[in-house]
Each structure stands twice: as structure tokens, then as C-alpha cells.
Amino acid sequence: MRNMRFHVMTLFPDMVSQGLASSITGRALEKEIFSLNVVNIRDYSRDKHRHVDDYPYGGGAGMVMQPDPVYDCYADIVKSCGKKPRVIYMTPQGTVFSQKIAQELALEEELVFLCGHYEGIDDRVLEEIVTDYLSIGDYVLTGGELPAMVMIDSISRLIPGVLNNKESAEYESFQDGLLEYPQYTRPEVYHGMRVPEVLLSGHHANIEKWRHEQSLKRTFLRRPDLLDRACLSPSDKKYLEGLKNP
Ligand code: 9D3
């Protein structure tokens, strides 16, 4: 089995290590299903005060991360890799990350995530080492660490063995591109609200049909944009027409 290795270049290594040490990613790290090498870019400063940033040429607010510490950090990581790894720069200017991109990146043996801070990184080192520019969406964060953690979380769960059987089965059922149906557990009556009767009936075919219709209805109401790309049968389309024209 492939043992995927993630490298993260960051000024906040504890944030990344601690964030991924919990939950399912933490369990998979303990089981050595994938590994995580978090590297502090500051360790590659050439300055006695451990500076890694400087004023921008041409003026302007804030500081820019210098190219040398980033390059030296990268060079050290590459030395430990079999072949030249993809280097993903976390930036609000990147392509928006998606499940499709997660699936593509999960095929790699090694991935390097570069997290920026301040007003960004000297563009020359980015041109030299970065293969992919990725964002997690159109909102402003303080740095690339949370985006790197988001991507590692979603990529790692695609590695065989990270999810248990139940979790994997749930993933399979998501592949039709629809939202999940609602779930219920005990008690049967909560704050006066009953669990839908069909779920107590024990009639598996009816339960499947009800759940599938709930998925269609939810997707229609909450994420109608997904319906354009979903796999829909003729009877699904009929059901949706019924929702639109009651
Ligand atoms: C508003 C002008 N800029 C601030 C100096 C741009 C800017 C640069 C860097 C804004 C935020 C950041 C820090 N964010 C990331 O590094 C980042 C990010 C994000 O903010 N949103 C979504 N995805 C990503 S990936 C990396």
C-alpha cells in the first residue's frame, strides 16, 4: 500500500501539527497510514534574529517573505523525496480546491504545501518551485495554514485505510453528487417531533426510496447548483419536477 507523505512549510508549525494530530487524521498518523513532516521556514533564516521577511521593493504596506529561507527549506525537503514533488502554494489567488482536486492529489506519493504569511512571498521563489496555486474559497484568512490543513484532511481520507468501513461506505453513497438524507436516532419523540414513520417500518425498499427522495429534495432546496452535475434517473427528474410545480 502507498504510504503518502505530506510536507508543510510554515512559520506556524505547531498550528499544523496540533491541528492534524486529532480526530481521524490523528488516528491515521498513529497507524502510519500517511506521514506528516512539518517544517519551520524560520529554521532556514540566515539572520541572527531569525528574520524571514523584509520590506517590499517599490514600497507599500507590510512585509514580504524572502526567497532564500523558503528555497533552502524546499531544497531540504526535496532531498528527502524520491522524485521532484508537487509544491502547492496556498494563496487566495489560486484555483479553488474541490473534491476533484483532492482525488487527483491523493494519487501523489509526496506533496509539499507552502504556507505564506505577511503580504506574501517573493515571487521569484514561487516561480521557481511552485507547481500548483490553490485557494479554499473566496474569504480572507490570516495565512495558508488552515487551508493546508483543510486540504490534507480531505486528501488523506481518500487514502485506503484512513476511513473505517462504515465511513468508506458513506463516502461511496455520496458519489451520486446529491446531499445526504436526514438522519435520526433515539428518542423516537424529541421536543414533540416524531422520527419519520417510514424509518420505523422496517420496510427496506420504502426506506431507500424515502431517503433518496429526501436527498433530492435537500439538494433542490439547499444546493440547487449541484443538480446540474448530479447523476439523475428519469424518475429522479420527475420527482424534482413535482417539487418545482406543486
Ligand atoms: C487583501 C489583500 N491581501 C492582504 C495582505 C491579500 C491576502 C494575502 C494573504 C489576504 C489573505 C492572505 C492570507 N490567506 C492565505 O494565505 C490563504 C487563503 C485565504 O485567505 N482564503 C482562502 N484560501 C486561502 S489559501 C491561502
Side-chain angles (χ1 to χ4, degrees), residues 90-92 116 118-119 134-144 147 151:
M90 306 305 189
T91 167
Y118 312 115
E119 300 301 297
L134 293 179
S135 160
I136 59 166
D138 295 338
Y139 36 82
V140 183
L141 302 170
T142 57
M151 292 184 201

Side-chain angles (χ1 to χ4, degrees), residues 66-79:
Q66 295 171 290
D68 278 313
V70 172
Y71 185 80
D72 292 348
C73 181
Y74 161 80
D76 242 10
I77 289 169
V78 169
K79 265 194 265 169

Side-chain angles (χ1 to χ4, degrees), residues 60-235:
M63 303 293 271
V64 176
M65 282 172 71
Q66 295 171 290
D68 278 313
V70 172
Y71 185 80
D72 292 348
C73 181
Y74 161 80
D76 242 10
I77 289 169
V78 169
K79 265 194 265 169
S80 77
C81 293
K83 58 169 194 179
K84 267 203 172 180
R86 276 168 88 162
V87 177
I88 301 163
Y89 179 45
M90 306 305 189
T91 167
Q93 300 176 12
T95 305
V96 178
F97 186 68
S98 63
Q99 191 63 30
K100 187 161 173 268
I101 294 173
Q103 282 166 353
E104 183 201 314
L105 293 177
L107 302 174
E108 300 287 332
E109 196 76 37
E110 316 238 17
L111 284 175
V112 180
F113 293 88
L114 171 56
C115 305
H117 256 272
Y118 312 115
E119 300 301 297
I121 302 179
D122 187 302
D123 219 70
R124 292 168 294 181
V125 70
L126 298 178
E127 294 226 3
E128 195 171 23
I129 70 173
V130 173
T131 59
D132 303 79
Y133 293 80
L134 293 179
S135 160
I136 59 166
D138 295 338
Y139 36 82
V140 183
L141 302 170
T142 57
E145 284 74 17
L146 284 166
M149 290 158 68
V150 165
M151 292 184 201
I152 291 169
D153 189 285
S154 76
I155 295 163
S156 66
R157 66 186 287 289
L158 300 174
I159 303 169
V162 170
L163 299 189
N164 61 38
N165 285 337
K166 189 181 165 289
E167 290 158 349
S168 309
E170 280 170 15
Y171 168 70
E172 295 301 325
S173 72
F174 183 69
Q175 288 298 69
D176 56 11
L178 297 174
L179 299 184
E180 305 267 295
Y181 49 80
Q183 298 273 22
Y184 304 88
T185 185
R186 286 196 293 188
E188 217 176 288
V189 184
Y190 161 75
H191 289 190
M193 295 176 276
R194 294 197 60 79
V195 171
E197 210 54 49
V198 61
L199 299 178
L200 310 175
S201 69
H203 193 304
H204 291 294
N206 285 355
I207 291 171
E208 283 307 298
K209 180 167 182 283
W210 183 84
R211 284 182 163 168
H212 187 64
E213 287 176 357
Q214 290 294 310
S215 283
L216 288 165
K217 188 189 267 180
R218 276 216 160 165
T219 311
F220 172 71
L221 292 173
R222 297 185 184 182
R223 289 294 306 276
D225 56 302
L226 295 180
L227 288 174
D228 302 332
R229 282 174 287 133
C231 305
L232 300 174
S233 71
S235 77

